[in-house]
Amino acid sequence: MHSTSSKHRTPRAARTAAALLAGTLALALTGCGGDDGKKDSGGSSGATEGGSSLQLPKLDGQTLEVAAVWTGPEQENFTKVLNEFEKRTGAKVDFVPTGNNTSTFLGTKIQGGQPPDVAFLPQVGVLHQFAQKGWLKPLGAQAKAQLDKNFSKGWRDLGAYQGKQYGIYAKAANKSLVWYNTAAFEAAGITDPPKTWKDFLSTAQTLSDAGTPAVSVGGADGWTLTDWFENVYLSQAGPEKYDQLAQHKIKWTDPSVKQALTTLAELWGKDELLAGGRKGALGTEFPKSVTQTFSGDTPAGMVFEGDFVAANINADTKAKMGTDAKVFPFPAVGADSPVVSGGDVAVALKGGEGAQALLTFLGSTDAAEIWTAQGGVISPNKEMDQSKYKDQVARDIAKALIDAGDDFRFDMSDQAPAAFGGTQGIGEWKDLQDFLKNPSDVAGAQRKLEADAAKAYQNG
C-alpha cells in the first residue's frame, strides 16, 4: 500500500522541494508588491462566464449524491463547485458528510446497495482496498482526458491501482506548515520564525515564558498526530526510510521510529508548551486548535497543520491572512525541512453518465478555479489559473506544490490500510493519542504501533 509517486523522490529532490517551499513562503509573507503577475485570462479559465471549452452532458432531472469528510467551511467551499456543476448540467447534487471513518461509512453504504455516485477518499490505502473489492468504477474517457491534461504523473499514479485509473486528486494539501499568531510573536519579542526543531522548541518556550500558550495541538483528532509524526520522521529518518515504513517493510519497533517519537516527546512531554497541556490537547479537535490560535482572550502562538488551516482562519476568526496569521515551513529536524502532502481523491462508486460527468468536471481547471477562489484549498491541477487563489499565501503554497512536480512524499497514514492509518479510535490514531497522554513510554508506543500495523497490513 504505497504511493507510486514516492519512487521518483530522491534526497536531493526532497531538499529542492523543501527549499522551494521555504523560499516561496518567505516571499509571500514579506509582501510581494505589484500585481503578483495576475492576468485575467478570460476564455476557458473563466469558469462561470460561459467561455469554457469543457463539454458536460445535460442531466436534467437526475439527482446525484457525493460523499466526503468535509463539514463547516470546507463543505461550504466545495458546495460552490457543486452549484456550478448543477448550473451547467441541470442535475441536482446532494452532499453527504461521511464523518471521520470514511471507509466504514462508505463500506456500509456499498454493502447495503446504496452507495453515493461519487465519493472523496482521504486515504490511498482505502482506494486500493475498494478497488480490490471491485467497488470502484474506472474513469471514463472524458474524465481521464481532463486528468491527463491537468495533472502530473505523480498525482495520476496516486489515483490508479493495478494499471487502472480510478480517481482524480481534485484537492491536495501541503501538510508541512506551521501557522503563527503575529501579535503573540511580537509580544514575546520573537522576530524570526524558527527554521530548525531546536529553534522551534526554543520559540515555544519563549512564548510560554511570555504567558502565551505556545503550541495548539488538535489531539482529539488522531490524524493530526499522525501528521506531526510524519513530518518529524521524514526530516529525521529521510525519504528512503519513510517509504519503507509507509509500506511496512520495516517495523514500527525500528530505531528510526524510536528516534522520531523521542523527538516528539520533547514537545509533547512538556505541558507548559501545549495549549491546555496534554489533557487540553487530547480534548481539542482540529477546528478548535485553529480558532484558539487566532481568537479568544489568550490565543496560542502556533498551530501545526496543512494549508487547509486557512479555511478555518477565514471562516471562524477575524484574523487576516498575511498580517495577523502567517505561516512558515515545518522546522527541519534533520538536515532538511520535510515536504509531506495529502489529498482527497474523487472516485465513482456507481456507473452511469452522471458520476462520470461530475468526475470530468472535478478534473477540470474550471472546478479547480472555483474551489481555490474560496480559500483554504490547494489544487494539484497544474493548468489552472494560479491568480484565482484567494490570497498570496495560498498562491505561493500552491506554486511550491506544483513546481515540485512529482517530488513530494504522500501522507504515510493515508497510504496504510484504513484499519491502521485512517480510522478514529483504533490503530495509529489511537496509539499516538495514547503516546500524547504518556510521552515517556516510547517503547510501549512502538510495540502498540507495530502490533496494530502488522494486523492491518496482513488483513489489508
Side-chain angles (χ1 to χ4, degrees), residues 319-407:
K320 302 298 182 187
M321 295 288 297
T323 53
D324 306 320
K326 292 188 178 182
V327 63
F328 59 87
F330 194 94
V333 186
D336 307 300
S337 287
V339 181
V340 177
S341 181
D344 297 271
V345 59
V347 297
L349 300 179
K350 280 185 180 179
E353 191 177 31
Q356 290 296 331
L358 182 53
L359 288 178
T360 300
F361 185 60
L362 290 170
S364 71
T365 56
D366 293 3
E369 288 163 11
I370 294 167
W371 205 349
T372 56
Q374 311 309 314
V377 178
I378 299 297
S379 174
N381 188 317
K382 62 185 175 65
E383 298 300 322
M384 67 164 282
D385 181 355
Q386 300 288 312
S387 74
K388 300 297 184 182
Y389 277 96
K390 187 179 179 71
D391 54 63
Q392 185 64 35
V393 174
R395 197 170 299 124
D396 284 313
I397 291 172
K399 185 178 186 300
L401 187 67
I402 296 296
D403 287 352
D406 297 335
D407 291 335

